[in-house]
Amino acid sequence: QVQLVESGGGLVRPGDSLRLSCTVSGATFSNVAVAWFRQPAGKDREFVASLFRYPGRTYYDDSVKGRFTISTDSAKRTVFLQMNSLKAEDTAVYYCARGQRAILSSIRFPTAYDQWGQGTQVTVSS
């Protein structure tokens, strides 16, 4: 059974950095789509970033482009989201997701992903 576990969330100030981790068990992140989504309180889940079929390209939502970076470790068992220059509007629960059958045109949609982590809260506040 494939399981994803996120960690690294917390409370930070605007302008700070934070690195989220997502570790997979029962599988790897090789040759699949892996993504980070976030869900602000009271809002729908939204796409943040994706790494499509390592060592494929990375994709970012415009709201985080230039500030966030998605990457994996050499073993392809952990995916990271490095978040710099955090803003209050980045506050949300962040989820990692793995999509074995995802196609490129669908990577920004939650329905493309088969497995999800439990989420980790990121709060950006002064």
Side-chain angles (χ1 to χ4, degrees):
Q1 184 177 359
V2 178
Q3 290 188 320
L4 306 179
V5 178
E6 300 103 333
S7 62
L11 171 63
V12 296
R13 296 183 183 276
D16 284 353
S17 298
L18 205 59
R19 188 175 80 159
L20 305 183
S21 300
C22 173
T23 300
V24 63
S25 59
T28 70
F29 289 123
S30 295
N31 202 33
V32 298
V34 57
W36 288 94
F37 286 76
R38 66 186 180 187
Q39 189 165 15
K43 297 184 178 181
D44 292 336
R45 195 165 298 190
E46 59 189 37
F47 173 78
V48 175
S50 178
L51 174 61
F52 185 70
R53 301 194 183 279
Y54 182 90
R57 288 184 58 182
T58 55
Y59 301 86
Y60 298 93
D61 184 77
D62 286 346
S63 65
V64 306
K65 198 172 294 183
R67 299 188 298 125
F68 291 11
T69 303
I70 186 172
S71 64
T72 63
D73 67 342
S74 58
K76 314 298 182 295
R77 293 193 179 275
T78 301
V79 63
F80 304 101
L81 185 68
Q82 177 66 42
M83 305 186 293
N84 299 327
S85 303
L86 282 161
K87 306 175 181 179
E89 50 263 45
D90 295 319
T91 295
V93 178
Y94 283 71
Y95 298 90
C96 68
R98 180 179 180 273
Q100 194 164 355
R101 292 175 292 275
I103 59 176
L104 185 57
S105 60
S106 69
I107 61 171
R108 296 175 183 267
F109 301 97
T111 52
Y113 299 88
D114 309 302
Q115 293 99 27
W116 292 81
Q118 81 288 351
T120 185
Q121 176 71 46
V122 172
T123 303
V124 185
S125 176
S126 56

